Amino acid sequence: MSAHSAQQQGNEHGQEHPISLYFKIWGLLFFLSTLSYLVDYFRVESYLRWTLILSFMFLKAGLIVSVFMHMAWERLSLVYAILLPPLCLLVLVGLMATEAGYTLALRLLYFH
């Protein structure tokens, strides 16, 4: 069997990952969700609350995208093509939010 025919045969069947991997990720997602709910249960307040909730949210989203959407096994160029545009948009939204705060402060200073 040549390398080309083995590769062709592998492409026909697709990638198969052990079910234990998915169970581990589900367990980890459940654990992260529990931690997120515990933040509210223990009434954590202020910026610590939002930092913890957003951290758990991003960790869960990263696990879902990498494992369940099979992004961890894709080519790096495809990962960049999918993830970089939303990341650039988030940076631009952050810059606009900063500019909006500056504009509001100037308007309150001069027009109020």
Side-chain angles (χ1 to χ4, degrees), residues 95-111:
L95 290 171
M96 287 187 289
T98 304
E99 181 69 23
Y102 174 73
T103 303
L104 178 64
L106 283 179
R107 286 181 179 178
L108 289 175
L109 181 66
Y110 289 108
F111 296 124

Side-chain angles (χ1 to χ4, degrees), residues 10-100:
N11 287 339
E12 290 174 1
H13 296 293
Q15 292 181 345
E16 298 216 7
H17 307 289
I19 191 87
S20 64
L21 172 69
Y22 294 107
F23 284 138
K24 289 175 188 172
I25 297 300
W26 282 333
L28 191 55
L29 288 170
F30 180 76
F31 177 71
L32 289 171
S33 294
T34 303
L35 290 178
S36 182
Y37 288 120
L38 285 176
V39 168
D40 283 334
Y41 181 77
F42 289 119
R43 300 175 196 254
V44 177
E45 295 295 329
S46 187
Y47 289 113
L48 178 62
R49 174 183 185 205
W50 293 109
T51 302
L52 288 172
I53 288 175
L54 288 174
S55 299
F56 295 141
M57 179 190 69
F58 283 123
L59 285 171
K60 290 189 298 185
L63 283 170
I64 290 168
V65 167
S66 67
V67 176
F68 293 114
M69 295 176 70
H70 305 283
M71 196 64 73
W73 298 282
E74 293 294 337
R75 291 188 188 136
L76 195 56
S77 60
L78 183 61
V79 172
Y80 286 156
I82 292 173
L83 296 181
L84 276 182
L87 185 64
C88 290
L89 286 175
L90 283 175
V91 168
L92 291 174
V93 166
L95 290 171
M96 287 187 289
T98 304
E99 181 69 23

